[in-house]
Amino acid sequence: AQSVTQLDSQVPVFEEAPVELRCNYSSSVSVYLFWYVQYPNQGLQLLLKYLSGSTLVKGINGFEAEFNKSQTSFHLRKPSVHISDTAEYFCAVSEIGTDKLIFGTGTRLQVFP
Amino acid sequence: GAGVSQSPSNKVTEKGKDVELRCDPISGHTALYWYRQSLGQGLEFLIYFQGNSAPDKSGLPSDRFSAERTGGSVSTLTIQRTQQEDSAVYLCASSPTRTYEQYFGPGTRLTVT
């Protein structure tokens, strides 16, 4: 079985500062990795995904994430955040061969002016 | 184009009543998923339909929960004899074949009183 740990439930940051949202996973088999974002009162939206190839993946809105197999991590980063990045961010995995997502508990990113 | 739609957007029901939640996936998407988002449990996978294959029901929390997908399109999630712990936002997602990108609907907020 897979599990996902998002170590930070909340991350406060000032506008234009860099941010890293941490995600670690546990799985006995190979997985695909995802980050989803949920803006206030909106549905979940895919930010980026890692399936194979380069371990650094770029997503929408200037976000990127790096897959580290040895540390079983998939941390999300942005070099300079905007107020509009305020949202809840979810890391998720799916076992290769299945499509269901197993989500972490989410990290609330709060960007202050 | 049109995204995933869900109805109703809000549903308040009395404990013990049955409810039906509807999901209209994006046209042409072969896979359809149901998830539940609640304060205590986070985002949980419920059930997954892929084409004509037997659904993956491994996430359904009890036999009070069932789902069907008619004609490979619209899906209905049914909860019988609702309990207060069923209160949550029920999310539907759809996906084109083997893209590993799930597109989420806005959800149905279910409140059991």
Side-chain angles (χ1 to χ4, degrees), chain A residues 34 36 38 49 99-101, chain B residues 48 58 99-102:
Chain A
F34 307 83
Y36 280 83
Q38 189 172 35
K49 63 183 180 184
D99 291 334
K100 60 187 180 186
L101 292 171
Chain B
Y48 156 51
S58 60
T99 64
Y100 305 100
E101 292 188 16
Q102 296 186 22

Side-chain angles (χ1 to χ4, degrees), chain A residues 4-52:
Chain A
V4 179
T5 301
Q6 292 183 246
L7 296 167
D8 306 302
S9 59
Q10 295 188 66
V11 173
V13 64
F14 287 108
E15 195 173 20
E16 298 182 7
V19 71
E20 178 179 81
L21 305 184
R22 296 180 293 170
C23 173
N24 288 85
Y25 69 93
S26 172
S27 178
S28 57
V29 298
S30 295
V31 296
Y32 295 141
L33 297 150
F34 307 83
W35 276 97
Y36 280 83
V37 60
Q38 189 172 35
Y39 297 104
N41 300 314
Q42 293 188 30
L44 283 160
Q45 180 181 0
L46 180 66
L47 264 182
L48 48 80
K49 63 183 180 184
Y50 173 78
L51 304 183
S52 64

Side-chain angles (χ1 to χ4, degrees), chain B residues 40-52:
Chain B
Q41 301 297 324
L43 271 159
E44 304 172 274
F45 164 79
L46 295 177
I47 187 169
Y48 156 51
F49 297 88
Q50 172 62 272
N52 295 320

Side-chain angles (χ1 to χ4, degrees), chain B residues 93-106:
Chain B
S94 69
S95 174
T97 303
R98 293 299 174 211
T99 64
Y100 305 100
E101 292 188 16
Q102 296 186 22
Y103 296 81
F104 283 80

